[in-house]
Every structure is written in structure tokens, then in C-alpha cells.
Amino acid sequence: MRVLATVLALAAVASAVPRVRRQAEPEVYCNNNRDICVPYYLCRDGIVITDGSGLIDIRIKPRLGGNNTSATRSGTPEPARSSATEFISECPSFLDVCCTDPTRKPPPPPKYVAQCGRRNEEGVNARIVDFPANQAQFGEFPWMAAVLRTEYSEDNVEEKHYVCGGSLIHPQVVLTAANCVYNINPTTLNVRLGEWDTQKAYELYPHQDRNVGYVVTHREFNHINLFNDFALLFLDSPVELAPNVDTVCLPEQGQTFDGSYCWATGWGKDRFGKEGVFQNVLKEVELPIVSQYDCQESLRTTRLGKLFKLHPSFTCAGGIAGVDTCTGDGGSPLVCLGLGNSYVQTGIVAWGIGCGEDNVPGVYANVPAFVNWIKDNVNSILLQEFNYDNKNYW
């Protein structure tokens, strides 16, 4: 009897000693670290059960006449049906399956590092093949801007109409031609960045729209002959720089690019006259820069006559039959490859004699001749109108 009592006492003491808690096994990830390995019965339709559905023991009596007794049954639950069990599992335990953890937040995408003048020749994240030779890839020219005007129909429905092209030279500033926004109420202007196909919305990254908060045109702009054809559109808030939205670099004041082959972009017509059609997908054309003298000589062979003088606020590019910017491309940028493999803006589409005529270059606003004007106005307006000190940006 004493022996039995002693045994019972020792058993009671042993049961009172806290047992060492088994450490949780480390989580095992699968599917390129996107999913997690769990017991097969915890995975339903490829997603980990986190609310106990089908696994808990509900402590009520079964309903009369019911045939479902599993709700009050203790023990191992019925396995949850999972499509994951139909495949060979990459998990180390043969009873585990690879399953999506709904509580696990995906890692944030890497932060985009902005860089002016970065051209994405292969497109952003994908290259589209079998494109016509003059169509740009998505995000290839991330500084390209579409200047829009808001109008209202007879039914008071808001409509946005394309006005011209432009280029993002600062997260809050678009450079365009003064003739594009001449005599237009600035409060009706909007700018769209990151656009590519104007008729469809299947791009990988979305476009960004901003209202125009302030407009500066060159005080010596002449709307008849387009001398000093420069305008700065200040957005009401900066855009978020992304793979498909970034700035173009500005050249040095007075920098020349004669003989260089450069690129012009836009959604304008593919040819001059009634036969021309505006483009849905952004187009690109490669053009040689033509010297001031050669351009003037070529233009004198047209209806402009032998006494025509090319104003120094212009530069020229093209002169190759069938390759040119055209109607609707006004305000769009002409860019050349500069130092450090970055593109700099050398021109703004302004005017021409027809489009794509042999030995008749197109005429562009001469950006290198006005870099100081551009920077000075950007700095002063951002400070005066938006209370932003931009002096360290350039």
C-alpha cells in the first residue's frame, strides 16, 4: 500500500512540473519563395486556411435529423480539398503542400531610380515584335508628354482633346512650343505623361494626368513666324517618376549637334494633307541634324524664296524623303544622344514646308540656344508660384 502511495505521489509531482514546449518548426517557403509549405489539410484551393474553416470542433449538438457529425468530432479533421495535392510537392515533408499564405504581404517592388534621358529601346519589361518600323516601344521615350485641353459637350460631358506634344524636363515642368498653347485658357490645359497607345489602356504602367497650374511663354514669341517658339507648362503637382515617366536631359547652352542622327516622337499625322492619319501609337523617326546654313539654303528652294532668312531661334533636322515629323507633332521633342549615354533635347517640333519632302528639312525650336532661359524661368516660377526652391536641381 505504501509503495502504491509513493508511486502516486511521484506521479503527481511529475505532472506538476512544466513540460518543455516544443519549438515551432521554421517556415519552409516554396515556389521561388512566393508560397509556404503547410500540411495538406491546411490548404484549400491553393490558399492556406487561416480562419479554421472546416478544422475547428464546433461544440454544439448535431441538429436532429442531420447526418453531419464531423462538426462535433474530435481528432484529425477531414483534409481540405486542394488542387495543390494533385501535383508533386516541392516541400520536404511528403504530407506538406506548397500553398499561398494570404497573410503574407508581397515584398515591395524595388524603388525606381530616376535618370534623365534614359531611353528604353527594348521597351519597359517587354519588347513588342512585328511593329511597324516607325512605332516606338512602350515606355521607350518616357519624357514624352501629351498636352490636352478640357472641353464640355452640349450635354455638359467633359472631353479631353489632344492639342500637341511636349517633353518632361522636370517632375513638375513640361517644355512645349508656344504656338501650341497660344491663346488657350491655361486653366483648360492638362498634361498626360506615360501615354503610348491613345486608344487602348493595356500598358504595364498607367499614364499620369496633371492639370496645368501656370504657363510661361517666351515674351518675344511671334505667333506669325514662330520666332522664339518656347513655352513652359507648370503642373499643379509633380508627377511620380516611373519606368514609363521620366525626364529628358537639357543640353549645355549653345551646344551643337550638326550631323548627328537624332530622334523625334509624336502622335501626329503620317503624311501631309487630307490623306494623313493621326497615329494611335506613339511614333518615332530618326533624323539627321542639318546645319543652320544648309537648312536655310534648302528652304530657299521652296516657296519661301531665295531671300528667306532662318531665324537663330530655329534648328533643322531631316530632309529625307518620307521621313519627317508632321501635322500634330508640334511641341514634341527632338532628342540626341549626349554624354553618358543619355538623351538631351535639341529641338521642339515647330514648322515645315509640307512633310517628308526630299531635301527639305523640318524646322524646330532651337533648345540649346535657350537653355539658360528655360532654367531661369523654371527656377523662378517654382519658387514664386509653388514655393519650391529648385536651384540645386540642374
Side-chain angles (χ1 to χ4, degrees), residues 290 294-295 297-299 301-302 318-321 356-361:
V290 180
D294 289 340
C295 182
E297 290 300 304
S298 296
L299 292 173
T301 65
T302 70
I320 302 172
E357 300 292 331
D358 188 34
N359 201 36
V360 181

Side-chain angles (χ1 to χ4, degrees), residues 69 84 134 144 170 204 302 330:
T69 59
N134 68 337
M144 186 66 200
H170 179 282
L204 181 63
T302 70

Side-chain angles (χ1 to χ4, degrees), residues 4-65:
L4 179 59
T6 302
V7 171
L8 292 174
L10 290 174
V13 171
S15 63
V17 177
R19 283 180 283 181
V20 178
R21 192 172 188 175
R22 188 178 67 177
Q23 293 184 349
E25 296 182 359
E27 294 177 336
V28 178
Y29 294 101
C30 50
N31 191 18
N32 291 326
N33 208 37
R34 291 191 291 266
D35 296 329
I36 189 172
C37 291
V38 295
Y40 66 93
Y41 56 82
L42 286 177
C43 188
R44 177 183 291 127
D45 297 326
I47 300 176
V48 177
I49 300 171
T50 60
D51 61 0
S53 297
L55 300 174
I56 60 177
D57 296 329
I58 302 176
R59 295 177 178 178
I60 61 173
K61 293 181 179 180
R63 300 186 183 209
L64 294 176

Side-chain angles (χ1 to χ4, degrees), residues 75-97:
T76 304
E78 284 286 323
R81 294 183 179 273
S82 169
S83 58
T85 59
E86 300 174 5
F87 303 96
I88 298 176
S89 173
E90 58 182 284
C91 297
S93 172
F94 74 95
L95 291 177
D96 288 353
V97 294

